[in-house]
Amino acid sequence: MPTQRLAYIDALRGLAIVMVMLLHTGHMVADKPRWLDLICKFGDRGVLLFFLTSGLALAIAATQRPSSAPDFYARRFFRLAPMFYAGIVFYFFVKGAGPQQFAPHGISPGQFLLTALFLHGFTVETINSVVPGGWSIAAEAAFSAAFPILILLASNLPRALVLLAASVAAAQLWVFASAPFIEHYRQDDLGMLFVHWHILWNLPAFMAGLAVFRVIQIADSKHLPSDTRYRLGAGTLAVTLVALVLAAIF
């Protein structure tokens, strides 16, 4: 695929960063106008855009630069781990291991171990406690671990769309199954946050990235003019993003 497409992936990543920054800076400003508050809150969709872009970028890389599973996992580990491990050490010295916002009972050695193994996304009081924002790394690590299988299953557009639909169904089933977490942690809303930070809730965004890749791949195979291919890819991406946003809202 042409290198220009990698540039537009970088642009998507930049947009996602701006959205997330907007969300967090919005939390620091009180008494905002309602319209500005809505715009800031919309920034939480930036993480969905990150996951979609990740699925798309991994699929493109797998096509342009095929590699063995060990090489793929090694690259993903060294992409995610160094800064994340630095974050574990940094926040341990800054926050300690006592009771805190996302860990009302404190952080145990086992929770630090789960986080170091990228398995912190599976327990309520670990998913975001050791490293603030670390829930997104847990999801990204899980998606990376499953990617070689997912890209094989999503071998063409119809199969990618079926998997996307299945991931949406799994996300909705997860919401229904998560009632005990929400009830148990109702006082501090941690249960509800866990539901929306969980891997299953965010999986449709990653699968949408694989589906968008298959659309772009079809356009490339038809030898369409480059501007038509880009419009088709951008249009598909825009429709996918709107669908994900609507799903997140409703």
Side-chain angles (χ1 to χ4, degrees), residues 211-247:
V212 170
F213 167 72
R214 292 306 180 192
V215 171
I216 295 173
Q217 197 176 46
I218 290 173
D220 283 343
S221 70
K222 300 297 184 182
H223 302 292
L224 298 174
S226 59
D227 59 340
T228 302
R229 292 202 307 269
Y230 296 140
R231 284 197 296 269
L232 179 60
T236 303
L237 187 61
V239 170
T240 305
L241 284 173
V242 170
L244 287 172
V245 167
L246 291 175

Side-chain angles (χ1 to χ4, degrees), residues 177-193:
S178 61
F181 298 117
I182 296 174
E183 182 62 32
H184 184 73
Y185 291 92
R186 181 175 298 278
Q187 184 175 354
D188 51 15
D189 290 330
L190 187 55
M192 182 61 73
L193 291 172

